[in-house]
Amino acid sequence: MGSSPQQPVLKDLTIDNITENVQAINAGCDDRRARFLLERLVVHLHDFARETRLNTAEWEAAVGFLTAVGQACTDVRQEFILLSDVLGLSLLVDAIDHPKPPASTEGTVLGPFHSHEARELDNGALISHDAEGEPMLVVCSVRDTSGRPVAGARVDVWETDSKGFYDVQYADRDGPDCRAVLTTDDAGVFHCRAIVPVPYPIPSDGPVGKLLGKLKRHPYRPSHFHFMFDKPGYDRLITALYLRGDPYERSDAVFGVKESLVVDLETVSDVEGFAEKYGVPPSTRLMRYDFVLVSDEETAALRDRLAREALQKVGADDLEVVDGLVVPSLD
Amino acid sequence: MGSSPQQPVLKDLTIDNITENVQAINAGCDDRRARFLLERLVVHLHDFARETRLNTAEWEAAVGFLTAVGQACTDVRQEFILLSDVLGLSLLVDAIDHPKPPASTEGTVLGPFHSHEARELDNGALISHDAEGEPMLVVCSVRDTSGRPVAGARVDVWETDSKGFYDVQYADRDGPDCRAVLTTDDAGVFHCRAIVPVPYPIPSDGPVGKLLGKLKRHPYRPSHFHFMFDKPGYDRLITALYLRGDPYERSDAVFGVKESLVVDLETVSDVEGFAEKYGVPPSTRLMRYDFVLVSDEETAALRDRLAREALQKVGADDLEVVDGLVVPSLD
């Protein structure tokens, strides 16, 4: 047909020539990064169908599944993030985009329940109003990789109530609860009063829950408390602390647990002066941690180096930087 | 950590070990075909992220895009099928699942506008009530690969109106129009009165339309008329006929055009006796075609042979048949 990658003739396409022709027609995109992402997406999508000999009924089932995932999304539920989480993609993307040098705090999955409704509260605030929860004092510091306190960092914290539900999962809620935005003080410290986290199932009444059932996987996440740190000049850190000894510590449905993020809860009376200093009963449980943020420059250099190493390992020798990301050469 | 593929310890997962551990936890699925599909899906999804060094902002954009695609779907609009169509996946899956021996009619994309509302009408029925359309008589035959007429085949036909819209795209419609289910007579013939198809854009007001815009692709399909054939013992044939000389004949937005399906319209007066036989004015345009269906057995054997050849070509030597599909050995 005289078809060429530059001037595709989109006719008589077959199992063997459809991929190159879809690439050819998509090559008109003038956003180089988008063009590269689309090119790799089409290769993987088509290879998946060719390798598995995907049939029409399976394709229809996939269309139906993805449609149901999309339609399960609401202002307060993100079923596609849940799908990404249970397939390990969320953890993988975080690891690629936010590499951590050895001396810093590791990241983990954001999860679908972060919300922008959280109120900015002062240090010491009570962030959980669930009377059924076991009170827990959170006292943490934030430093840079040289050990210097990071003051004025924005610290987003969130957790479930004692029943394992986030505020946004209640249709009749009045406003945000079990979440807040705190700010580190001059010593890089932030603290608040919360409750001891509990394990809970990710929402399993939708299509992702059905998928987990089909895969004979349980939907539980081990007990954890979420943190997100923002401060200009530092790479955003999305992480969480997990409680040691949780029944799901080694089988998190969304693959988020890292040994460096597993903590032993203490009791306030374990630390001299804490009960008075923070105005809580001595028997209150205590979560402490020293977080270490990485500068934007250090993160960018590490991301760049890891990308080069990984891509060279898979045989992509000709690399270039597009939109700040190292990728195989596009031409 | 003593982790093994059989007993995964889902902790401390990294860019390099997340894939094998997700596979390990998914391996509990007792549906072998589903397990195989998930395994290949996870490999391709993770490899895509690793190769492109996908970042968090891009992942968020993808989550937002897929959510918008899901939410654009309604009872009468299937945006995920549209997405599959513009990425060439629909054509590919049809080619894999419905291979055609040389003497038979080729298949093409179903598209998102087939509907189960179509009425069963007698041969000769008027299926388009659009007075603005140019009348067209459709007279076709259906045979098997030995040339024998296939009587009693169910023939689903559908097309747009003269403005390029399917009935289901109108919010205020009364019922189905421009579609019908016909049945072949003892000579394997079916006929109806329709209108000359026109080119039209696929719905471009949604997320898939935005994607096409980003890729600098036009959303047009060349003029065509859809057919779907069902008869027990024969492989379902989903196909369409395209009009030669259409401005989009070589740039179909969904890659459906095949030379063997491009027809030259005739005029009823070209064929002696047709005007009287079918009771239409001699100046009426005429679409004729002889469709050839393939038996289920012949299709299955061909699908099996092509799968073996394709998989051996990519180095998968150890093949097995699972649920009637040839795939690389699962163990």
Side-chain angles (χ1 to χ4, degrees):
Chain A
M1 302 297 300
S3 144
S4 80
Q6 282 67 47
Q7 291 289 327
V9 173
L10 301 180
K11 204 183 208 181
D12 286 320
L13 299 181
T14 66
I15 296 174
D16 298 317
N17 72 7
I18 178 103
T19 306
E20 64 190 279
N21 281 287
V22 173
Q23 305 295 20
I25 194 73
N26 286 348
C29 178
D30 52 15
D31 174 338
R32 295 183 75 204
R33 175 72 183 163
R35 197 170 76 215
F36 174 63
L37 290 175
L38 253 289
E39 184 203 299
R40 298 312 304 163
L41 178 71
V42 167
V43 164
H44 283 293
L45 190 65
H46 289 193
D47 280 352
F48 169 74
R50 277 186 288 251
E51 283 169 16
T52 60
R53 314 309 289 180
L54 195 67
N55 70 24
T56 306
E58 292 163 344
W59 170 85
E60 284 172 351
V63 165
F65 176 78
L66 292 171
T67 303
V69 171
Q71 303 212 328
C73 294
T74 67
D75 285 352
V76 295
R77 176 170 182 160
Q78 228 313 336
E79 194 86 355
F80 269 113
I81 291 187
L82 213 55
L83 179 59
S84 169
D85 289 352
V86 304
L87 294 178
L89 181 65
S90 307
L91 194 280
L92 177 58
V93 170
D94 182 74
I96 290 169
D97 199 31
H98 300 284
K100 305 297 179 193
S104 65
T105 303
E106 292 191 274
T108 186
V109 290
L110 173 67
F113 293 115
H114 176 256
S115 127
H116 294 286
E117 289 179 337
R119 297 194 184 98
E120 298 193 10
L121 298 179
D122 290 333
N123 276 309
L126 178 69
I127 72 153
S128 169
H129 296 84
D130 180 357
E132 308 284 311
E134 185 181 0
M136 178 178 81
L137 176 67
V138 178
V139 181
C140 300
S141 71
V142 183
R143 291 179 296 119
D144 65 17
T145 52
S146 310
R148 282 183 296 253
V150 177
R154 180 187 160 94
V155 188
D156 229 313
V157 295
W158 66 107
E159 65 170 336
T160 69
D161 65 12
S162 62
K163 295 182 184 62
F165 293 108
Y166 290 95
D167 55 358
V168 295
Q169 294 179 276
Y170 289 98
D172 61 345
R173 74 210 164 91
D174 298 325
D177 194 24
C178 299
R179 63 177 78 237
V181 177
L182 306 169
T183 305
T184 56
D185 64 19
D186 289 345
V189 171
F190 66 93
H191 52 101
C192 64
R193 288 172 294 142
I195 61 172
V196 174
V198 295
Y200 65 84
I202 58 172
S204 56
D205 58 339
V208 173
K210 284 206 195 90
L211 175 65
L212 288 182
K214 175 102 182 155
L215 293 170
K216 304 264 187 282
R217 285 171 52 179
H218 73 69
Y220 282 87
R221 297 215 63 201
S223 311
H224 62 279
F225 194 95
H226 289 278
F227 300 85
M228 180 160 69
F229 300 88
D230 283 285
K231 162 99 185 180
Y234 295 90
D235 189 49
R236 165 181 282 183
L237 172 63
I238 295 168
T239 194
L241 296 178
Y242 298 87
L243 303 194
R244 192 178 313 283
D246 187 279
Y248 305 104
E249 184 182 341
R250 287 162 173 253
S251 67
D252 183 0
V254 306
F255 312 110
V257 182
K258 292 179 179 176
E259 183 56 33
S260 70
L261 301 173
V262 177
V263 297
D264 291 291
L265 282 195
E266 300 167 273
T267 301
V268 166
S269 59
D270 295 343
V271 190
E272 204 178 317
F274 259 36
E276 297 72 27
K277 183 171 181 183
Y278 294 106
V280 297
S283 62
T284 308
R285 304 309 306 275
L286 173 63
M287 175 179 269
R288 290 201 295 176
Y289 202 80
D290 297 317
F291 294 94
V292 179
L293 303 189
V294 186
S295 72
D296 280 336
E297 292 71 19
E298 196 174 350
T299 301
L302 186 58
R303 186 192 294 129
D304 188 287
R305 180 168 67 73
L306 293 175
R308 286 178 192 280
E309 286 173 7
L311 292 171
Q312 278 160 354
K313 203 154 60 180
V314 297
D317 293 326
D318 199 10
L319 302 177
E320 62 180 299
V321 177
V322 175
D323 290 349
L325 298 169
V326 175
V327 297
S329 180
L330 302 187
D331 299 312
Chain B
M1 302 298 299
S3 144
S4 79
Q6 282 67 47
Q7 291 289 328
V9 173
L10 300 180
K11 203 184 211 182
D12 287 320
L13 299 181
T14 66
I15 297 174
D16 297 318
N17 72 7
I18 178 101
T19 306
E20 63 190 278
N21 281 287
V22 173
Q23 305 295 21
I25 194 74
N26 286 349
C29 178
D30 52 16
D31 174 337
R32 296 182 75 204
R33 176 72 183 164
R35 198 169 77 215
F36 174 64
L37 290 174
L38 253 288
E39 183 203 299
R40 298 312 305 164
L41 177 72
V42 167
V43 165
H44 283 293
L45 191 65
H46 289 195
D47 280 351
F48 169 74
R50 276 186 288 251
E51 282 168 16
T52 59
R53 315 309 290 180
L54 194 68
N55 71 24
T56 307
E58 291 163 346
W59 171 85
E60 284 171 353
V63 165
F65 176 77
L66 292 171
T67 303
V69 172
Q71 301 211 330
C73 294
T74 66
D75 285 351
V76 294
R77 176 171 182 160
Q78 228 312 338
E79 194 84 356
F80 269 113
I81 291 186
L82 213 54
L83 179 59
S84 168
D85 289 352
V86 304
L87 295 179
L89 180 65
S90 307
L91 194 279
L92 177 58
V93 169
D94 183 73
I96 289 169
D97 199 31
H98 300 284
K100 305 296 180 195
S104 65
T105 302
E106 292 191 275
T108 186
V109 291
L110 173 67
F113 293 114
H114 176 255
S115 127
H116 294 286
E117 290 179 336
R119 297 196 184 95
E120 297 193 12
L121 298 179
D122 290 334
N123 277 310
L126 179 70
I127 72 154
S128 169
H129 297 84
D130 179 358
E132 308 284 311
E134 186 181 0
M136 177 179 82
L137 175 68
V138 178
V139 181
C140 300
S141 71
V142 183
R143 290 179 297 119
D144 66 17
T145 51
S146 309
R148 283 183 294 253
V150 176
R154 180 186 162 94
V155 187
D156 228 314
V157 295
W158 65 108
E159 65 169 336
T160 69
D161 65 12
S162 63
K163 294 182 184 63
F165 293 107
Y166 290 94
D167 55 358
V168 294
Q169 294 180 277
Y170 289 97
D172 62 345
R173 73 209 164 91
D174 298 325
D177 193 24
C178 298
R179 63 177 78 235
V181 178
L182 306 169
T183 304
T184 55
D185 65 18
D186 289 345
V189 172
F190 66 94
H191 53 100
C192 63
R193 288 172 296 142
I195 62 172
V196 174
V198 295
Y200 65 84
I202 59 172
S204 56
D205 58 340
V208 172
K210 285 206 194 91
L211 175 66
L212 288 182
K214 175 104 182 153
L215 294 170
K216 304 263 187 281
R217 284 170 52 178
H218 73 69
Y220 283 87
R221 297 214 64 201
S223 310
H224 62 279
F225 194 96
H226 290 278
F227 300 85
M228 181 161 68
F229 300 89
D230 283 285
K231 162 99 185 180
Y234 295 90
D235 189 49
R236 165 181 281 183
L237 172 63
I238 295 168
T239 194
L241 296 178
Y242 299 87
L243 303 194
R244 193 178 313 283
D246 186 280
Y248 304 105
E249 183 182 341
R250 288 164 172 252
S251 67
D252 183 0
V254 306
F255 312 110
V257 183
K258 293 179 178 175
E259 184 57 33
S260 69
L261 301 173
V262 176
V263 297
D264 291 290
L265 283 194
E266 301 168 272
T267 300
V268 165
S269 58
D270 295 343
V271 189
E272 202 178 320
F274 259 35
E276 297 72 25
K277 182 171 181 183
Y278 294 106
V280 296
S283 61
T284 308
R285 304 311 305 275
L286 172 65
M287 175 179 270
R288 290 201 294 175
Y289 201 80
D290 297 316
F291 294 94
V292 178
L293 303 189
V294 186
S295 71
D296 281 334
E297 291 71 19
E298 195 174 350
T299 300
L302 186 58
R303 186 191 294 129
D304 189 286
R305 180 167 68 73
L306 293 175
R308 286 178 192 279
E309 286 172 7
L311 292 170
Q312 278 158 356
K313 203 154 60 178
V314 297
D317 293 327
D318 198 9
L319 303 177
E320 62 180 299
V321 177
V322 175
D323 290 350
L325 298 169
V326 175
V327 297
S329 180
L330 302 187
D331 300 311

